[in-house]
Amino acid sequence: MERERESERQKDGGGDIENDGVGEGRDGEHHLLYERKENLSNLSNFSQHSDRDGGSTIREPLLRSRVNTTSQIAIVGANVCPIESLDYEIIENELFKQDWRSRKKVQIYQYVFLKWTLALLIGLSTGLVGFFNNLAVENIAGFKLLLTTNLMMKHRYFLGFATYAGVNAFLAICAGALCAFIAPAAAGSGIPEVKAYLNGVDAHSILAPSTLFVKIFGSVLGVSAGFVVGKEGPMVHTGACIANLLGQGGSRKYHLTWKWLKYFKNDRDRRDLITCGAAAGVTAAFRAPVGGVLFALEEAATWWRSALLWRTFFTSAVVAVVLRAFIQFCRSGKCGLFGQGGLIMFDISSAVPVYNTKDLLAVILIGVLGGVLGSLYNYLVDKVLRTYSIINERSRSFKVLLVLCISLLTSCCAYGLPWFATCTPCPTGITEECPVKNGSGNYKIFQCPPGHYNDLASLFLNTNDDTIRNLFSPKNDHEFYLSTLFVFFVAIYFLGIVTYGIAVPSGLFIPVILAGASYGRLVGRLLGSISSLDVGLFAVLGAASFLGGTMRMTVSLCVILLELTNDLLMLPLTMFVLLISKTVADCFNKGVYDQIVKMKGLPFLEAHAEPYMRHLVAGDVCSGPLISFSGVEKVGNIVHALKYTRHNGFPVIDEPPFSDSPELCGIVLRSHLLVLLKGKNFSKHRALTGSQILRRFHAFDFAKPGSGKGPKIEDVDISEEEMEMFVDLHPITNTSPYTVVETMSLAKAAVLFHALGLRHLCVVPKTPGRPPIVGILTRHDFMHEHILGLYPHMAHHK
């Protein structure tokens, strides 16, 4: 079965096999498998072992007990897909230099203006989508809750439950069907995938237009269905998808193309736009523009620079302005049930935090508790995802069935648990209606008599935003019983765990904030006699501690919470509790997004090298055979190499009579070779014809198309006569590739590879008289699975 799947992937031309390095790793003996291209017929045999694990079959990540022993495939949604790396490096070939020299000042201004215009469009589009999401959720969920409340007030309890559970099940099935049948990549929060993309990993369809469509509508349906999920995480993915759609000039598949975006036909500019989209998504979710910028800096982006800071800040500011304008419009009552709810903002500035030593001890307790609970949460999410993968891989129908089961479980908990709560008399001297009769508000009547409310129903039978607002409220310290807070915390904690991983767009922010706020308020009630802090502030600190314990972010979370609560006086305590919770949780496991990236098999490059890499050198992990081309190469050799290997980069070697001795000219990309072959600018003799190629082609002809649109070798039609002709590769060869000597430590090479955002790193020999290149290092060669597969004894150094 595994070999059949691998053969299918070979036919698809997928995996990231651009590593063309060489060397017998185990004995450290380096020799060049330098083949003449006239004898490349044996490449068909090599293609069967292109997983570079000694010919072993590729094992799939995540599924059941299997582990990913290669970094060439990953889980996207519930599907196993080949992955590629992104070309963030500028390819400095003769065509690029000619294009750069010919650019006039007005074209440079046009390029800069277009960047800012796209940042504006990303902000406007993400702001509109964010408002639409909130408007739809508040109205759909509000209508469902209003209908249920009206039936309850008429004492038609069983009909009320049937209506509540039925509407939830219908919405859940719609959301699950969208994910399962249209865009499996839209399931989950999407933040791990965006994080991996910005690290240089291009997985199949993670930013496709179909994923964007399902992410928007699936998120609305999933949140409205009452799942313990948030729309905030998916908003990050949505912003990234919008940025990708604009940055690649639309979608040719769906007949949405804009030719005036030709300047952005490269991964480097698209990466910057997607970073802006991720920041815009956080801003649209939390109305936190500064928090959005810091989230992109701290969690999403791998490479950062000052120019990108300005653009993300501008994009986030545009989103904030758009949201504020729509909120002002909706306050006139023209948006249905959308009022103060949605676009969450919790104003708790009325509670002035004055704290002493006892209060700091309470804050330390909250931080430690958040770290322990957060690490346990991540551990359980890991186990649940691995279990769900067994179900999700069976068929699409099983995915929808799992969604339906979790929906019924959630409905039973939300409607059934309040029956065990005690009815509470309405407090005196309050401005709100108690109990509420219009379906929205703090005091739900549920089954209670007039003048009483059910505090557990006020938490369960509300939208997520209103529930958080209730928990953060400083107005009534005794609004919720201790038992109510405990039951709600346990239910939300475990419902959040079992819900994440089903086939619906689901964010982790809101479940974590709900659970954190509930146990924070619970601790505040328990310590009320010795602490002077308000229970609402304890709820905020509990949410901060749980966020820090699960996501392991500090600066961005701190600013997001400050912008959410509109209370700058909470800054010292929030910083303190985040530092404690992150420190405690790091003693147990990694952050939840880092865990998911690893489980999915996405080859994420860390900024630091592992200690065992210092015991190896760059030449130790090169694997072969090395497939290289001459500066002027026979067409048949190029076609054969492209057909029987999946490498994405090939060294170009100049030999006599074009040079005095063999020397490394540079590296040429597969995509550029395909464009050159399709142009058929060949010659019958081995001669330099670069000037003709420079006149015929333009740099934009070699620009990278959008995802999944690149040329394939099957699209190239070469006759037998043309196979014997020659083509000059010098004009499209990157003549300034990054190189390292073969004796450089692998740790140092890994840091260099990561810092420069490379896809290919050439390894050159240390001693003269040898072929000019030993091999090429790619992302795969720095992965733990590959290195420890070559050197199992290095595991104890890890």
Side-chain angles (χ1 to χ4, degrees), residues 9 15-16 58-64 66-85 192-193 195-197 199-204 206 382 385-386 389 592-606 779-780 782-786:
R9 284 191 288 274
D16 196 7
I58 291 181
R59 293 185 181 181
E60 298 174 357
L62 185 67
L63 304 180
R64 302 191 187 183
R66 288 171 279 179
V67 295
N68 189 20
T69 58
T70 176
S71 60
Q72 300 154 21
I73 58 172
I75 296 287
V76 179
N79 299 331
V80 180
C81 301
I83 60 97
E84 299 284 350
S85 292
E193 287 83 357
K195 185 175 179 178
Y197 184 94
N199 189 258
V201 179
D202 187 15
H204 178 68
I206 58 175
D382 180 286
L385 284 175
R386 294 181 186 277
S389 67
V592 64
Y593 297 135
D594 294 324
Q595 284 190 174
I596 294 171
V597 165
K598 184 176 180 180
M599 279 190 293
K600 286 177 175 288
L602 296 167
F604 189 88
L605 274 180
E606 300 288 350
R779 176 180 296 268
H780 172 83
F782 297 105
M783 293 294 108
H784 308 316
E785 297 86 1
H786 174 65

Side-chain angles (χ1 to χ4, degrees), residues 300-334:
T302 299
W303 297 281
W304 196 265
R305 60 185 191 281
S306 58
L308 185 57
L309 177 66
W310 277 100
R311 271 194 293 278
T312 53
F313 187 76
F314 171 71
T315 307
S316 297
V318 171
V319 175
V321 171
V322 170
L323 293 180
R324 186 169 184 83
F326 279 107
I327 289 172
Q328 291 293 337
F329 172 77
C330 285
R331 281 179 178 167
S332 61
K334 299 179 181 178

Side-chain angles (χ1 to χ4, degrees), residues 144-207:
K144 173 192 69 179
L145 294 171
L146 184 61
L147 190 60
T148 305
T149 302
N150 289 338
L151 290 171
M152 293 284 291
M153 293 180 68
K154 296 176 182 177
H155 305 290
R156 303 174 71 179
Y157 300 123
F158 289 106
L159 183 59
F161 172 72
T163 303
Y164 180 75
V167 173
N168 283 347
F170 172 76
L171 295 173
I173 290 173
C174 292
L178 283 176
C179 270
F181 292 95
I182 299 179
S189 71
I191 293 178
E193 287 83 357
V194 173
K195 185 175 179 178
Y197 184 94
L198 294 177
N199 189 258
V201 179
D202 187 15
H204 178 68
S205 74
I206 58 175
L207 299 176

Side-chain angles (χ1 to χ4, degrees), residues 447-622:
Q447 88 293 8
C448 295
H452 293 71
Y453 70 96
N454 187 311
D455 58 343
L456 194 53
S458 302
L459 296 176
F460 273 118
L461 297 179
N462 245 327
T463 60
N464 290 335
D465 294 353
D466 285 334
T467 301
I468 297 175
R469 196 171 284 108
N470 290 347
L471 290 169
F472 281 4
S473 173
K475 297 177 182 178
N476 185 0
D477 290 355
H478 300 282
E479 182 179 344
F480 305 105
Y481 290 113
L482 291 175
S483 57
T484 295
L485 294 171
F486 179 76
V487 169
F488 183 74
F489 163 69
V490 172
I492 291 296
Y493 189 90
F494 288 103
L495 283 175
I497 291 169
V498 300
T499 304
Y500 193 82
I502 62 176
V504 295
S506 51
L508 282 172
F509 272 101
I510 290 302
V512 168
I513 291 176
L514 282 170
S518 56
Y519 81 71
R521 193 174 180 101
L522 176 61
V523 172
R525 286 285 306 277
L526 292 174
L527 301 179
S529 59
I530 62 173
S531 175
S532 58
L533 291 178
D534 186 88
V535 291
L537 300 183
F538 268 107
V540 175
L541 294 176
S545 69
F546 203 11
L547 285 168
T550 53
M551 300 178 184
R552 313 298 160 81
M553 293 181 285
T554 52
V555 180
S556 55
L557 283 180
C558 183
V559 174
I560 288 172
L561 285 169
L562 291 179
E563 291 183 282
L564 273 179
T565 57
N566 194 26
D567 190 3
L568 192 59
L569 297 174
M570 286 288 294
L571 177 61
L573 293 179
T574 307
M575 294 172 64
F576 193 40
V577 79
L578 280 169
L579 287 171
I580 294 173
S581 62
K582 182 184 184 304
T583 304
V584 171
D586 281 339
C587 298
F588 298 100
N589 51 29
K590 290 188 174 182
V592 64
Y593 297 135
D594 294 324
Q595 284 190 174
I596 294 171
V597 165
K598 184 176 180 180
M599 279 190 293
K600 286 177 175 288
L602 296 167
F604 189 88
L605 274 180
E606 300 288 350
H608 61 276
E610 294 293 334
Y612 64 83
M613 291 184 180
R614 300 194 180 277
H615 299 278
L616 300 171
V617 296
D620 287 340
V621 296
C622 292

Side-chain angles (χ1 to χ4, degrees), residues 33-45:
L33 300 175
Y34 194 91
E35 307 177 25
R36 288 309 313 142
K37 270 61 66 182
E38 287 84 356
N39 299 315
L40 286 177
S41 60
N42 62 343
L43 280 176
S44 59
N45 294 327

Side-chain angles (χ1 to χ4, degrees), residues 192-233:
E193 287 83 357
V194 173
K195 185 175 179 178
Y197 184 94
L198 294 177
N199 189 258
V201 179
D202 187 15
H204 178 68
S205 74
I206 58 175
L207 299 176
S210 58
T211 304
L212 172 63
F213 172 81
V214 174
K215 205 74 180 183
I216 295 173
F217 291 97
S219 178
V220 169
L221 293 170
V223 176
S224 301
F227 283 122
V228 184
V229 298
K231 54 188 178 294
E232 286 67 27

